[in-house]
Amino acid sequence: MSDNRIIDAVLERHGRDGTRLVQILREIQEQLNWLSPATLTHIAEGIGWPRAQVSGTAAFYSFFHTRPRGRYCVLWSDNITDRMLGNTDLMDAMCKKLWLEPGRVSEDGLVSVNTTSCTGMCDQGPALLVNYRAVTGMTLQRVDEMAELIRTETPVADWPAEWFAVQDNVRRAEILLAGNFAPGSALRAAHERAEVDGLSASNNRSFRESLPHGIAGPMAMLDEIQRSKLRGRGGAGFSTRFKWEACRNAPLRADQERIVVCNADEGEPGTFKDRVLLTSYADLVFEGMTVAAYAVGATRGFLYLRGEYRYLLEPLEAVLARRRAAGLLGKSILDIPGARFDIEIHLGAGAYVCGEESALIESLEGKPGRPRVRPPFPVTNGYLDQPTIVNNVETFASAALVALHGGDWFAAIGTKQSTGTKILSVSGDVARPGIYEYAYGVTVRQVLADCGATDTLAVQISGPSGMCLAEDEFDRKIAFEDVPTAGAFMVFNTRRDMFEVARNFSHFFAHESCGFCTPCRVGTTLVRNIMDKIANKHGSPYDINELFKLHRLMQGASHCGLGNTACNPVFDTLNKFRPAYEHRLLSLDYEPAFDLDAALSEARQMTGRDDAGAHFAAHSPDEAKA
Amino acid sequence: MNAPAPAVKKLRVATTSLAGCFGCHMSFLDIDERIIPLLDLIEFDRSPLTDIKHCGPCDLGIIEGGLCNAENVHVLREFRKNCKFLVAMGACAINGGLPAQRNHLDLRDVLEEVYQTEAGLSHGGIPNDPELPLPLNQVHPIHEVVKIDYFLPGCPPPADAIWKLLTDLLAGRTPSLGHGLMHYD
Amino acid sequence: MNETNTFLLDGEEIPFTPGQSIIQAATEHGIYIPHLCWHPEFKAHGSCKICTVKVNGRFGSSCTMAAQAGMNVENRTSELDDKRRTLLQMYFVEGNHFCPSCEKSGNCSLQATAYELKMVSPHFDMFYPDRAVDASHPDILLDFNRCIMCSLCVTASREVDGKNVFSMGGRGLLGRRIHISSESGKLADTDFALTDRAASICPVGVILPKRKGFAVPIGERKYDKLPINLQVSEETP
Ligand SMILES: Cc1cc2nc3c(=O)[nH]c(=O)nc-3n(C[C@H](O)[C@H](O)[C@H](O)COP(=O)(O)O)c2cc1C
Ligand code: SF4
Ligand code: SF4
Ligand code: SF4
Ligand code: FES
């Protein structure tokens, strides 16, 4: 098929609908390998969008290539946990084998090797993506074999299947991971509860407001969610009932509908619990979304799945198909006339910021994932300006159990302000990495004991944007009122260097800043540069002050949570592990960021000079007298 | 300004032009007749206005131009070592200015263009005489290499701005330029 | 007691009409809140953060925050001006701003705002990025070295000119930039015209008419005459 025929087929499949641009770009790239200028023009014409908007969107996402990429594109996950498992050496070895420089496509266009943000395989790293398929457990031997398969141009489909195996590593289960959920049971329970309780339990709302899903069921469901005191698992801990109710009450204009979005972007480094939920508990998640749709009166749903989990697309589509066949999705769900709701999967394309709910919605609309100005909030003006709820994968899974067992049952688990359970993604210096489900209120120390952590120096909770806890805080509790978390639990033992941890995170934020607002766009790079300066032993107390200053600015002035939290790891480690910085500081005086002597390198090379005058004496301000 | 009592120690000032065009120094001289009362208050150490070759202990160092070669760095460090306060004078000292336009080019290409491709300038290729300072890979503003205490923007800064800065410093005020004195061009 | 529709701005009572943003209400009353990406003709973009104020003790962008009765807004405090100066310094290090050779000098919002906030140096290490210059168009020069990503040209081209010549795309410090609606990426290959609103909207020296450079002598330019804080009602043409 010619390129244009391929493009047209994809466009046709998407109804030439520009709001599906991110999906269109991905599907076309999967077939054509990259998005050439001509391809972008053809797409722009096909969907009737300005070409600049199409190229601007393509350029936003790390996984889209607007320049030719290698036929094999290897991206090493570069979270600190991958680093601790030795990914740097492995990547160097791979580059050597393939005669490559990182980030460059080989001359023959065969291969490129580079790094990417955490791919969510921290419990089984070092991990990588090859042509956007996840690979785990890299070893030197695998590097050798992989290089050979690349050199011989063996199709990725023919590579050893065990390389692509992803383990669940469920180490501790409570209610969510117990795995005894019967598809449809929660929906049925929600529906039946309404019939039992009748209208009275539901604030006497007019039944018309509950359409199209039956009569009092939706309000009864909201009541249960209220009783459960369920709060969002995606990080902010917002009350699920407030969100759902606001969406339900938002006015609909003609030909609008309410939307349910499941946030499976899971981009926060060190987090991988949503991956497991979607691998082995997808019914629970989809059922939770359907329960939500029932409660808020939504008819359309999206699962926004991070591009790193591309391999889950087909299995998840299969689950959706099965649920449609079982009457749990589609039209007349559970044979309730008019009860219709369906779910569509959209894939992300390598942009952490798309986990932010309004950026996610922009991405669903085919645009760069740029956080919106709020208010208005998604619950009133979300996807295509329609009332929309965005919830985390785990929130929906929990909501399904609330529907099944009732709010009181749920509220009895955990603490008063933090009901239910929390799934932690445990990685780093532990004997048993994997996912652990606890009732809220468990202490950090307990988790450390359970996962076999010894000599623990620090725990980074909730990822780089979360908080870093030192030993004297290990008795704190995982709970919204004490240590809230989106799930990441990265453990560092006393042989680790917390400065390097923070530096890795500073690179992450500089890479992921969307660039919309000035404090974050420039600030994340300034912070990264200062961290590198200190790492290169050019730092001074001046630079430490600069870090504090940037933290104060970015925290208050940034447009979204990314910029607001980007300095957290630096701030926490500066406060709790100051010596890790100080022993690297060169002097008490101001120092340049760059190596002055190296700044003469090109001239030395060109003139062939190597005399004293062709060098700067290291760090001695006295040589001027010489 | 009150005439100072003769016993008062004069402010010792050094100035230099690094990768600049001497425009800032010319502007300095544009303070014209005010230089006379000024000389009651300050005395010059190393400066293009004197022929002192090395900077001794000073109160104030005024630097024009950015850093384009090794010699610039040596002089800047000498100033930092000897002066209590350093002033970056003019656009080139502050952000690299015109010389920094070469930062988009590879130094190798620049040198080859000048010494090899371009006819008639030099026949022996890129000079490698150890007497000559080597160029830096990139031009840098001076605050990237040493701590700078005060900045005087302008290309060049107007004489009145230079005057204002000096009189502020002499009077022990934090220098401040109002509308009209503060400009970047 | 506050009147129903007033709020306090640096202690001064400012009336507003419901739906107005803080900066709109302030501007209407001749009070300057430093800003770059906001333009009274268009919906607020909210990207530069120069307009950051403190509302009842919390930071917020005055161009996107609705004015509300009784709110207490801090504007020109040294804390806020310090932050604004740092943001301006970020602009000056992330782009290439050599004012002496810029045709916009003297008429430039970025420069005038930096004067107003007494920014005497870029403070941080310069990035000296490699950015494009596009001289392809017969009447217009584009020098992206000076772009501050305000998106005003994008909005003007879309909303006023109905052309969509520009779009803000890409990600992060190095990636984010104006994309031009042609396969070549060149302005000449679009239907952009000198008479477009977008041709005159740029607050800095990116979108420049050709053959008009340095027409106004130094001393006569917009911000030579009066500082930006005293030209509140006027806006970039
Ligand atoms: C930069 C950024 C990234 C985020 N990433 C995620 C994510 O990957 N998954 C998620 O559920 N929430 C993420 N969030 C939080 C969402 O904006 C939103 O609060 C959440 O999806 C709401 O769901 P919940 O109420 O169920 O927690 C992110 C927020 C920010 C600011
Ligand atoms: S804070 Fe960062 S990620 Fe968020 S809008 Fe600003 S630049 Fe984008
Ligand atoms: S755009 Fe403004 S600040 Fe930038 S160089 Fe031109 S005049 Fe100076
Ligand atoms: S070109 Fe000008 S108007 Fe357009 S985004 Fe850049 S600075 Fe703003
Ligand atoms: S003017 Fe408000 S953010 Fe730019």
Side-chain angles (χ1 to χ4, degrees):
Chain A
M1 245 200 303
S2 80
D3 284 5
N4 281 352
R5 295 262 297 281
I6 291 174
I7 298 168
D8 285 331
V10 173
L11 289 172
E12 239 12 270
R13 200 162 57 245
H14 288 282
R16 301 190 175 264
D17 178 358
T19 68
R20 311 183 60 87
L21 180 59
V22 177
Q23 304 313 303
I24 291 170
L25 291 170
R26 176 183 57 80
E27 287 174 26
I28 289 172
Q29 178 175 287
E30 280 183 5
Q31 297 179 70
L32 299 181
N33 212 36
W34 70 293
L35 301 165
S36 71
T39 300
L40 293 175
T41 304
H42 196 81
I43 295 172
E45 284 163 3
I47 60 177
W49 277 22
R51 192 188 180 287
Q53 206 172 327
V54 173
S55 65
T57 300
F60 181 84
Y61 295 91
S62 295
F63 288 2
F64 292 152
H65 299 258
T66 51
R67 263 171 294 189
R69 73 165 211 223
R71 292 191 290 285
Y72 292 83
C73 168
V74 180
L75 292 171
W76 288 82
S77 173
D78 202 22
N79 188 24
I80 185 70
T81 53
D82 297 289
R83 289 259 169 134
M84 286 154 60
L85 293 166
N87 73 339
T88 315
D89 289 346
L90 293 177
M91 177 168 136
D92 285 351
M94 181 179 268
C95 287
K96 274 216 192 76
K97 282 243 160 248
L98 294 166
W99 297 91
L100 265 185
E101 250 182 84
R104 288 261 174 94
V105 182
S106 59
E107 303 254 321
D108 54 1
L110 176 66
V111 54
S112 65
V113 176
N114 209 343
T115 55
T116 188
S117 298
C118 179
T119 59
M121 302 290 167
C122 319
D123 57 338
Q124 44 206 302
L128 55 76
L129 302 173
V130 59
N131 293 354
Y132 299 102
R133 299 299 291 209
V135 176
T136 58
M138 285 302 295
T139 59
L140 210 47
Q141 194 193 334
R142 281 192 182 178
V143 165
D144 286 349
E145 291 168 14
M146 199 177 277
E148 198 46 42
L149 290 174
I150 290 172
R151 264 201 301 257
T152 53
E153 302 207 33
T154 311
V156 172
D158 299 339
W159 289 15
E162 68 267 21
W163 292 3
F164 303 94
V166 178
Q167 307 302 326
D168 278 358
N169 289 334
V170 175
R171 310 281 183 186
R172 193 175 191 284
E174 292 268 352
I175 55 176
L176 293 167
L177 302 177
N180 49 7
F181 178 75
S185 58
L187 271 174
R188 254 175 228 111
H191 187 56
E192 279 157 19
R193 189 171 294 114
E195 287 174 358
V196 174
D197 295 351
L199 267 173
S200 57
S202 54
N203 292 339
N204 296 319
R205 286 188 172 264
S206 121
F207 69 86
R208 275 218 325 275
E209 288 185 84
S210 324
L211 284 174
H213 284 348
I215 306 191
M219 295 316 298
M221 187 59 229
L222 279 178
D223 288 347
E224 290 307 321
I225 291 289
Q226 172 166 16
R227 261 186 229 123
S228 75
K229 298 198 220 147
L230 176 61
R231 292 169 68 171
R233 276 22 179 178
F238 195 74
S239 153
T240 303
R241 174 242 170 169
F242 280 131
K243 190 183 280 185
W244 290 15
E245 206 166 61
C247 176
R248 176 167 193 86
N249 293 338
L252 281 188
R253 280 181 274 120
D255 60 74
Q256 282 196 325
E257 58 187 334
R258 294 197 170 79
I259 310 287
V260 169
V261 178
C262 178
N263 187 343
D265 196 50
E266 192 156 67
E268 190 73 44
T271 320
F272 46 87
K273 46 106 190 164
D274 293 341
R275 180 197 82 215
V276 175
L277 283 172
L278 291 169
T279 305
S280 302
Y281 305 82
D283 264 304
L284 192 63
V285 178
F286 290 140
E287 186 124 342
M289 290 177 70
T290 316
V291 162
Y294 180 63
V296 307
T299 42
R300 190 164 183 198
F302 292 98
L303 176 78
Y304 189 88
L305 182 67
R306 70 185 309 217
E308 288 81 349
Y309 297 164
R310 166 70 182 80
Y311 71 98
L312 285 176
L313 180 62
E314 287 82 10
L316 286 168
E317 293 285 15
V319 176
L320 289 176
R322 190 162 39 68
R323 290 182 65 84
R324 278 181 208 113
L328 301 173
L329 277 179
K331 298 194 173 87
S332 309
I333 295 171
L334 295 181
D335 293 326
I336 306 168
R340 77 186 157 83
F341 176 69
D342 213 333
I343 298 171
E344 203 185 303
I345 303 173
H346 273 227
L347 272 164
Y352 163 66
V353 71
C354 286
E356 196 281 336
E357 57 182 19
S358 66
L360 186 157
I361 290 171
E362 290 280 303
S363 181
L364 280 179
E365 294 180 0
K367 294 184 274 182
R370 195 205 93 191
R372 292 179 176 175
V373 173
R374 293 173 302 167
F377 293 95
V379 284
T380 55
N381 302 72
Y383 175 71
L384 299 178
D385 215 28
Q386 305 169 101
T388 303
I389 56 166
V390 181
N391 280 112
N392 177 253
V393 173
E394 191 181 346
T395 312
F396 283 121
S398 303
L401 292 187
V402 171
L404 181 61
H405 300 295
D408 291 336
W409 169 84
F410 190 86
I413 305 164
T415 74
K416 230 175 143 129
Q417 289 158 48
S418 311
T419 56
T421 62
K422 183 77 197 91
I423 305 178
L424 301 176
S425 316
V426 177
S427 63
D429 294 317
V430 301
R432 292 173 295 280
I435 68 166
Y436 291 71
E437 183 183 12
Y438 289 97
Y440 272 108
V442 64
T443 62
V444 171
R445 202 177 294 286
Q446 183 65 49
V447 180
L448 287 170
D450 292 350
C451 64
T454 48
D455 292 331
T456 304
L457 176 68
V459 185
Q460 183 74 30
I461 300 207
S462 206
S465 69
M467 52 169 119
C468 180
L469 299 186
E471 218 280 323
D472 56 350
E473 299 167 287
F474 289 171
D475 288 317
R476 294 181 64 179
K477 294 181 167 60
I478 301 291
F480 294 108
E481 63 272 24
D482 191 357
V483 181
T485 176
F489 193 100
M490 290 184 269
V491 180
F492 305 98
N493 69 22
T494 47
R495 286 174 299 284
R496 302 295 177 187
D497 178 348
M498 293 312 288
F499 170 81
E500 279 303 330
V501 174
R503 188 163 81 97
N504 176 267
F505 295 160
S506 73
H507 279 249
F508 167 76
F509 285 117
H511 178 67
E512 295 297 342
S513 165
C514 85
F516 170 70
C517 71
T518 317
C520 171
R521 180 182 65 247
V522 187
T524 50
T525 293
L526 288 172
V527 168
R528 183 199 67 192
N529 290 352
I530 295 174
M531 293 299 277
D532 286 351
K533 175 181 181 183
I534 296 173
N536 294 332
K537 304 260 163 116
H538 291 290
S540 72
Y542 173 89
D543 298 297
I544 305 280
N545 284 336
E546 290 287 290
L547 289 173
F548 279 119
K549 180 172 109 177
L550 288 164
H551 170 66
R552 283 194 301 274
L553 174 72
M554 289 162 65
Q555 196 183 38
S558 297
H559 177 68
C560 86
L562 192 153
N564 278 304
T565 58
C567 289
N568 284 2
V570 168
F571 184 75
D572 276 359
T573 50
L574 264 174
N575 283 324
K576 297 176 189 180
F577 302 98
R578 186 80 163 234
Y581 288 74
E582 275 165 354
H583 84 251
R584 290 185 159 82
L585 300 186
L586 178 66
S587 73
L588 294 178
D589 263 337
Y590 181 86
E591 284 291 331
F594 57 97
D595 183 339
L596 272 171
D597 193 52
L600 294 176
S601 58
E602 281 198 34
R604 268 197 302 268
Q605 214 185 2
M606 297 204 67
T607 56
R609 278 177 55 186
D610 202 22
D611 54 289
H615 287 279
F616 289 107
H619 310 306
S620 153
D622 296 321
E623 87 275 37
K625 291 272 153 80
Chain B
M1 209 182 339
N2 293 326
V8 169
K9 195 176 157 293
K10 286 186 177 180
L11 200 69
R12 199 165 168 83
V13 180
T15 76
T16 188
S17 175
L18 306 176
C21 68
F22 275 94
C24 298
H25 274 82
M26 299 308 287
S27 191
F28 194 170
L29 294 179
D30 278 345
I31 65 174
D32 296 332
E33 72 287 351
R34 286 173 289 185
I35 193 110
I36 313 271
L38 191 65
L39 285 175
D40 288 337
L41 299 168
I42 69 173
E43 58 188 10
F44 282 102
D45 193 281
R46 169 181 173 157
S47 167
L49 313 173
T50 66
D51 56 2
I52 305 173
K53 290 284 177 278
H54 281 292
C55 179
C58 280
D59 298 293
L60 190 63
I62 300 178
I63 293 161
E64 166 190 326
L67 303 166
C68 121
N69 63 31
E71 165 74 6
N72 297 153
V73 176
H74 290 311
V75 174
L76 178 64
R77 285 176 157 184
E78 178 183 304
F79 268 64
R80 181 69 275 179
K81 195 160 179 286
N82 287 293
C83 303
K84 287 191 199 136
F85 301 106
L86 283 191
V87 178
M89 172 167 67
C92 300
I94 290 175
N95 65 17
L98 198 65
Q101 307 271 12
R102 83 144 151 99
N103 286 351
H104 305 284
L105 309 168
D106 208 36
L107 178 61
R108 174 173 292 269
D109 297 340
V110 175
L111 292 180
E112 274 171 2
E113 175 74 23
V114 172
Y115 290 105
Q116 281 164 351
T117 321
E118 188 91 342
L121 260 173
S122 158
H123 309 290
I126 297 160
N128 60 358
D129 184 340
E131 289 296 301
L132 292 175
L134 289 181
L136 299 169
N137 296 354
Q138 285 217 313
V139 175
H140 295 269
I142 60 174
H143 73 266
E144 290 187 13
V145 171
V146 300
K147 182 174 178 301
I148 301 297
D149 303 285
Y150 302 106
F151 296 87
L152 188 54
C155 187
D160 288 345
I162 300 174
W163 175 253
K164 175 80 165 61
L165 176 113
L166 287 174
T167 50
D168 277 348
L169 285 176
L170 282 166
R173 288 187 297 259
T174 306
S176 156
L177 305 171
H179 179 72
L181 291 184
M182 165 92 122
H183 59 72
Y184 300 161
D185 54 6
Chain C
M1 268 288 290
N2 272 312
E3 300 260 346
T4 341
N5 282 339
T6 66
F7 64 94
L8 283 183
L9 184 64
D10 283 341
E12 191 178 332
E13 207 163 320
I14 308 289
F16 68 96
T17 23
Q20 267 186 328
S21 63
I22 296 171
I23 205 171
Q24 281 174 326
T27 304
E28 205 171 287
H29 292 85
I31 295 178
Y32 175 67
I33 299 181
H35 63 273
L36 286 175
C37 69
W38 177 72
H39 188 290
E41 283 171 34
F42 300 105
K43 189 163 172 269
H45 188 239
S47 65
C48 74
K49 303 300 172 193
I50 301 285
C51 72
T52 300
V53 291
K54 239 176 166 177
V55 178
N56 300 333
R58 295 197 54 187
F59 296 107
S61 310
S62 59
C63 68
T64 57
M65 276 184 99
Q68 268 162 13
M71 57 174 30
N72 184 12
V73 183
E74 292 170 48
N75 175 22
R76 300 302 302 272
T77 62
S78 61
E79 181 196 24
L80 287 164
D81 277 357
D82 281 351
K83 287 193 193 298
R84 292 172 178 141
R85 195 177 310 110
T86 305
L87 290 170
L88 288 165
Q89 287 164 329
M90 288 178 166
Y91 275 125
F92 277 86
V93 297
E94 78 159 333
N96 293 307
H97 294 273
F98 297 110
C99 298
S101 51
C102 176
E103 293 174 25
K104 194 76 175 182
S105 194
N107 302 308
C108 166
S109 302
L110 174 66
Q111 187 190 61
T113 308
Y115 294 169
E116 170 63 18
L117 288 159
K118 302 208 182 325
M119 188 200 100
V120 290
S121 86
H123 180 84
F124 302 108
D125 289 6
M126 308 292 291
F127 294 173
Y128 294 128
D130 251 322
R131 294 213 197 139
V133 176
D134 178 352
S136 64
H137 195 279
D139 303 320
I140 302 274
L141 175 78
L142 299 177
D143 186 342
F144 288 108
N145 285 296
R146 304 157 184 156
C147 181
I148 58 168
M149 325 259 168
C150 67
S151 286
L152 282 170
C153 58
V154 178
T155 315
S157 180
R158 184 182 59 230
E159 292 179 8
V160 183
D161 309 325
K163 287 190 180 175
N164 287 303
V165 171
F166 304 111
S167 180
M168 189 59 84
R171 187 172 92 211
L173 182 88
L174 295 178
R176 192 169 168 81
R177 64 176 177 87
I178 287 288
H179 285 239
I180 293 169
S181 262
S182 62
E183 189 171 309
S184 64
K186 294 280 173 231
L187 192 64
D189 296 331
T190 69
D191 53 355
F192 196 66
L194 194 55
T195 47
D196 284 2
R197 181 69 180 101
S200 60
I201 193 81
C202 183
V204 295
V206 181
I207 308 177
L208 296 165
K210 285 185 173 172
R211 302 174 295 276
K212 291 255 175 64
F214 305 106
V216 183
I218 293 184
E220 304 286 306
R221 303 167 305 182
K222 181 168 183 187
Y223 298 113
D224 291 338
K225 295 180 270 183
L226 270 182
I228 193 167
N229 64 319
L230 300 180
Q231 303 193 40
V232 175
S233 50
E234 288 170 56
E235 276 297 332
T236 4

